[in-house]
Amino acid sequence: MEKLMIRGGRPLRGTVQISGAKNSAVALVPAAILAESEVTLDNLPHLSDVAVYREILEDLGAEIEWHGDVMKIDPSAAVSRPMPNGKVKLLRASYYLMGALLGRFGEVTIGLPGGCNFEPRPIDQHIKGFEALGATVTNEHGSIRIHAKELRGAKIYLDVVSVGATINIMLAASRAKGLTIIENAAKEPEIIDVATLLSAMGAKIKGAGTETIRIEGVERLHGCRHSIIPDRIQAGTYMIAAAATHGDVVIDNVIPKHMEAMTAKLEEMGVEVIELDESIRIIGRPDYSAIDVKALVYPGFATDLQSPMTSLLTQAKGVSILTDYVYSNRFKHVPELARMGANIRTEGRSAIIEGSTLHAAKVRAADLRAGAALVVAALTVTDGITEISGVEYIDRGYDNLVDNLRMLGADVWREVDTEEEEWGAVE
Ligand code: EPZ
């Protein structure tokens, strides 16, 4: 295992390129299984979750070539093999194999997904969707078996607005007989990205990005070429880091529309934000005002950015309240920030943050975005080197993080984490 070492206190300056979106990529790669010929994905991020997905698809018989940010997936020889354990447990988004394999083969057996366990994350809405499409879902020795002689279109109302359930139902329904209508669907840009890929594969989907999605099932899907949207969470993290270090950074390869909630909150604090066609420039200021932030489903402020935002709010004057309405207890970064001197406490779904100066410390990333929060915090520290262990979590979502931060002038490097190896303490 490795740890991140950050000697903070330098304003970030320059330009950073944002890669393709992780949360699209982990749906688009398995979606390729639905096709019967080669799918090419451009702008694919280099992330450990994508690498794990590649291995899973190869185990299922797909042929894959991955050079730079282009992946070619030939799923023609793929089969649906039981996957009770192993790699599927390494990532939360392995649940997309359910919709993809069910759609193509009418059958899938898979262990329950792993991933960032910041709180219990049920998949009841995914199951509700598969059952509505006519599938039988059983628990077999801890694995889920989903099978159907024939999938039939249905009207499905999601009780919870869920990104994963919306995408999983779209995947299976695109090869079901007849019309599926998803109501109370999630509207995140990643949903539109998946619908765009499926449409290029020959699916008939209308309404992605709104709360009602209509999918007219087709018998076969074919190969295509698709370019993945930029990662709005990575982009938001660099926006936050630029502001927190009072820097001046151009974040390139973004869709500014996806960043509206983040832009609004930064401006409210006093950060200067300049939107260009495919980039956003952040100009930091010496002082920021405390603000309240509510993490909501899209187009609200993204829950995936609330942890790094917490770190930025430690740099504002006064008391900020950050409330997460998507997850009830996504606050694993809070005790670690407190270790760095943050004056911060949680109350129910909220973190109450009083502006303070942070100090160098040894801290641990307990999940991906908690890790991003610690990186932002460490960049603000002027009295030494912050050591962040648990880097494997950060590697799941930030392509090229160390090089990007270095190019922006940060003093950051990786070292072998001998303490972690001794304790074997990987969560
Ligand atoms: C996606 O997770 C993202 N992951 C998450 O990003 C993100 O935090 C989340 O959406 C919310 O935006 C991927 O896209 C791979 P949900 P997902 O289903 O789809 C509840 C990151 O840091 N719920 O939209 O799993 C659930 O508990 C990650 O990049 C049910 O109750 O999230 C949560 O409170 C972490 N039943 C809410 O809905 C269900 O069947 C939203 O979850 C499904 C979800």
Side-chain angles (χ1 to χ4, degrees):
M1 292 300 147
E2 288 186 321
K3 58 187 173 184
L4 264 190
M5 310 292 285
I6 302 183
R7 189 184 284 114
R10 298 182 177 197
L12 299 185
R13 290 186 195 286
T15 299
V16 61
Q17 296 291 331
I18 300 303
S19 71
K22 161 196 163 251
N23 287 343
S24 275
V26 295
L28 297 171
V29 171
I33 288 235
L34 282 162
E36 284 168 26
S37 50
E38 188 174 276
V39 173
T40 302
L41 296 174
D42 292 318
N43 203 29
L44 190 77
H46 270 264
L47 298 171
S48 51
D49 277 12
V50 177
V52 173
Y53 241 129
R54 175 206 182 138
E55 289 176 20
I56 295 175
L57 260 58
E58 284 177 336
D59 289 349
L60 293 174
E63 279 189 23
I64 299 191
E65 281 176 38
W66 187 7
H67 301 294
D69 63 356
V70 180
M71 184 182 273
K72 291 184 179 195
I73 305 166
D74 180 351
S76 47
V79 290
S80 185
R81 238 178 234 134
M83 295 166 283
N85 285 309
K87 292 163 198 144
V88 294
K89 299 265 184 187
L90 295 176
L91 59 153
R92 164 88 182 157
S94 58
Y95 52 43
Y96 289 132
L97 289 163
M98 296 179 183
L101 292 171
L102 180 66
R104 169 113 183 250
F105 302 107
E107 161 123 44
V108 54
T109 301
I110 186 168
L112 280 168
C116 280
N117 291 319
F118 40 80
E119 70 170 45
R121 294 166 70 192
I123 55 165
D124 56 301
Q125 299 303 303
H126 305 232
I127 304 298
K128 173 180 169 174
F130 298 141
E131 286 177 337
L133 294 174
T136 303
V137 183
T138 48
N139 187 328
E140 296 193 355
H141 315 292
S143 291
I144 296 185
R145 175 164 186 249
I146 310 171
H147 64 104
K149 276 217 174 95
E150 183 179 78
L151 292 173
R152 287 191 172 275
K155 195 167 177 176
I156 301 158
Y157 175 83
L158 294 180
D159 303 311
V160 181
V161 180
S162 161
V163 175
T166 303
I167 292 178
N168 238 340
I169 296 168
M170 284 197 318
L171 295 177
S174 59
R175 287 191 60 169
K177 264 208 172 138
L179 177 69
T180 297
I181 301 175
I182 310 175
E183 289 180 336
N184 202 26
K187 296 183 247 180
E188 271 68 2
E190 292 74 22
I191 309 272
I192 303 179
D193 209 19
V194 173
T196 307
L197 172 82
L198 292 172
S199 301
M201 284 161 62
K204 294 182 181 161
I205 303 181
K206 285 188 184 153
T210 75
E211 60 197 19
T212 306
I213 303 178
R214 300 165 72 88
I215 306 132
E216 181 74 51
V218 296
E219 242 174 61
R220 285 175 181 278
L221 293 170
H222 50 74
C224 67
R225 186 159 197 149
H226 173 81
S227 183
I228 300 178
I229 57 168
D231 194 308
R232 64 197 167 95
I233 307 302
Q234 242 185 71
T237 306
Y238 285 107
M239 289 167 79
I240 287 170
T245 60
H246 312 281
D248 183 346
V249 176
V250 173
I251 292 122
D252 206 13
N253 187 33
V254 294
I255 299 173
K257 174 91 186 142
H258 292 171
M259 309 310 305
E260 271 177 357
M262 170 55 74
T263 298
K265 293 320 274 184
L266 290 180
E267 285 177 338
E268 207 175 308
M269 292 180 72
V271 180
E272 189 175 343
V273 184
I274 301 170
E275 282 185 15
L276 303 159
D277 281 351
E278 290 182 2
S279 55
I280 292 182
R281 181 173 170 195
I282 299 294
I283 305 173
R285 292 278 171 253
D287 297 306
Y288 298 127
S289 321
I291 56 164
D292 291 344
V293 178
K294 293 179 174 47
L296 298 161
V297 296
Y298 190 83
F301 189 93
T303 170
D304 295 343
L305 286 168
Q306 67 92 338
S307 322
M309 191 65 177
T310 306
S311 300
L312 173 59
L313 293 175
T314 66
Q315 304 302 298
K317 273 203 179 118
V319 178
S320 300
I321 300 179
L322 192 154
T323 308
D324 193 329
Y325 289 102
V326 180
Y327 295 109
S328 59
N329 190 20
R330 193 180 193 179
F331 290 121
K332 287 197 170 174
H333 50 294
V334 167
E336 301 302 299
L337 290 176
R339 232 187 257 272
M340 296 176 71
N343 192 346
I344 177 169
R345 68 193 156 85
T346 55
E347 253 180 42
R349 288 178 169 268
S350 299
I352 294 131
I353 308 141
E354 196 165 333
S356 51
T357 303
L358 302 182
H359 302 287
K362 280 189 179 183
V363 288
R364 181 162 207 287
D367 64 60
L368 162 58
R369 306 303 170 189
L374 297 177
V375 171
V376 171
L379 289 169
T380 71
V381 165
T382 54
D383 66 354
I385 298 170
T386 301
E387 295 187 24
I388 306 174
S389 59
V391 177
E392 63 278 8
Y393 283 105
I394 305 176
D395 289 340
R396 299 183 55 191
Y398 292 89
D399 192 348
N400 222 10
L401 178 74
V402 168
D403 287 346
N404 282 347
L405 287 174
R406 277 199 192 146
M407 272 194 297
L408 295 174
D411 196 3
V412 183
W413 65 100
R414 294 171 81 115
E415 278 184 12
V416 173
D417 193 349
T418 46
E419 287 175 43
E420 282 271 320
E421 275 178 348
E422 272 167 28
W423 301 337
V426 181
E427 197 171 289

